[in-house]
Amino acid sequence: MVPFGIGMAATIRVGHAVGRNDAAGIKRAGYVAILLGATLSAILTLAVILTRVATVRLFLGEATANVDETVGLAATLLAVGATLFVTDGIQGTAVGALRGLNDTRVPLLFAAISYWLIGFSAAYVLAFSTPFGAIGVWIGLSIGTVVHATLLVFAFPVARQQTSPHMTVHEITPDVDPGPWLAGAQFVDAYRIEIDGGLDAREAATRMFAPSPRWVRTLVNLRNLIVAPFGLKTSGAGERATGGMIGIFPVVSETPDRLVAGFNDSHLDFRVLVDVAPAGAGQQVTATTLVRTHNRLGRLYLAVIMPFHRLVVRSLLLRVAA
């Protein structure tokens, strides 16, 4: 409950800073809350681990049958459960900070993925397919909590940048004909940012993709680890690239105003179109994503990565304006 209370305070303080258009205040309120929640949770973790045996004996007493065996199992479960206190404190306060930025959809989607897709799956496998048994359930829950907390911490600076009136990424209705680039695409979305200065499409794409932010690289590495057993590609290296590579993406077409990158895989094909166009005294840069799925794996993959896709595209477009 302590991290929950800190998270509620973070919601209020971040919200007030947003109302003042105080970028430094938003950053300070969010990170102070996250750090405070993690610190207090770490103290509680240490206390629980050090007193786990005494705590269990206090509840069980000495008259319980097989008390030593029961105490041993319960103390182990308590120690494993205590390991998620810190990350639980982080995710509780980070959710509050994001709520102050009027962002509730991303934490919900991240929670569904972290706990149900990753945490539940890990708990099931560890509990029933390894000798861990009941301890495996708690380990799975801890894994889900770690993933959720990590994603929320990564999401906060992206959401924070969106509060700047000069660096806002807008989702727009795509105005691209998919036919020439990926005929039969079932999914199309587009995001746009307005910037100062004059960039061509390659310069804009290079700012976006080469190199990617550290947290994006972390997500990509996690993705590669998960999909490796399915034989999916981890990059477009080796694919036809008339314009070379930008990051992990082969460039398949390029003009000063539009760059098209992407590659085909067994589960789906995708293309990313980076367009630049004049906008008043500056420019607008638009990133359009086209996806054509081939099978159930492709459709499932697309559904799972969608919240990450939206977060990553917004973040990469903000790099163009930096």
Side-chain angles (χ1 to χ4, degrees):
M1 295 303 294
V2 173
F4 177 77
I6 297 173
M8 294 298 291
T11 299
I12 296 170
R13 295 192 66 222
V14 170
H16 284 177
V18 171
R20 298 192 305 268
N21 195 25
D22 181 1
I26 296 171
K27 180 180 180 180
R28 182 172 57 252
Y31 285 125
V32 166
I34 292 171
L35 180 61
L36 183 60
T39 301
L40 293 177
S41 298
I43 295 172
L44 179 60
T45 298
L46 182 62
V48 169
I49 291 176
L50 292 177
T51 63
R52 64 189 186 279
V53 175
T55 301
V56 173
R57 287 192 180 278
L58 178 65
F59 281 91
L60 292 180
E62 297 296 337
T64 306
N66 301 319
V67 65
D68 291 334
E69 182 179 345
T70 305
V71 167
L73 176 59
T76 301
L77 291 174
L78 201 56
V80 174
T83 61
L84 65 82
F85 287 173
V86 174
T87 48
D88 186 55
I90 292 173
Q91 65 94 17
T93 50
V95 164
L98 287 168
R99 192 182 299 118
L101 293 171
N102 199 31
D103 188 350
T104 56
R105 183 176 64 176
V106 166
L108 173 64
L109 293 173
F110 282 175
I113 292 169
S114 301
Y115 287 111
W116 287 105
L117 179 65
I118 298 176
F120 177 80
S121 300
Y124 184 88
V125 171
L126 292 172
F128 297 105
S129 300
T130 72
F132 285 112
I135 297 174
V137 175
W138 282 93
I139 295 175
L141 178 60
S142 296
I143 292 172
T145 306
V146 168
V147 172
H148 190 221
T150 302
L151 293 175
L152 291 175
V153 171
F154 283 147
F156 178 68
V158 178
R160 179 167 53 84
Q161 287 176 316
Q162 284 291 302
T163 62
S164 170
H166 304 294
M167 294 181 62
T168 301
V169 177
H170 300 281
E171 184 173 7
I172 64 171
T173 301
D175 57 359
V176 171
D177 178 14
W181 311 114
L182 195 64
Q186 301 106 329
F187 172 83
V188 184
D189 73 355
Y191 293 85
R192 176 175 292 164
I193 189 172
E194 294 188 1
I195 64 171
D196 299 323
L199 300 177
D200 62 22
R202 174 169 282 272
E203 290 173 320
T206 300
R207 288 191 182 187
M208 290 175 64
F209 302 130
S212 298
R214 181 181 300 176
W215 68 270
V216 173
R217 294 198 299 271
T218 301
L219 287 179
V220 171
N221 290 335
L222 178 61
R223 174 262 182 200
N224 293 342
L225 180 65
I226 294 173
V227 304
F230 300 96
L232 305 186
K233 296 177 181 177
T234 58
S235 77
E239 297 290 312
R240 182 180 66 88
T242 58
M245 299 282 293
I246 298 182
I248 63 173
F249 303 113
V251 177
V252 298
S253 177
E254 181 181 1
T255 67
D257 298 328
R258 169 174 289 174
L259 182 141
V260 183
F263 56 89
N264 300 339
D265 206 344
S266 59
H267 64 311
L268 58 77
D269 308 332
F270 79 95
R271 299 291 184 272
V272 179
L273 283 67
V274 179
D275 292 294
V276 296
Q283 283 181 306
Q284 60 184 22
V285 180
T286 306
T288 305
T289 304
L290 313 175
V291 179
R292 179 177 61 205
T293 59
H294 298 309
N295 45 44
R296 290 182 180 178
L297 177 59
R299 292 188 289 273
L300 175 62
Y301 177 87
L302 181 61
V304 169
I305 69 165
M306 193 49 55
F308 302 96
H309 163 75
R310 295 190 177 100
L311 185 66
V312 168
V313 171
R314 289 178 181 274
S315 176
L316 294 181
L317 277 173
L318 288 170
R319 287 165 58 86
V320 177

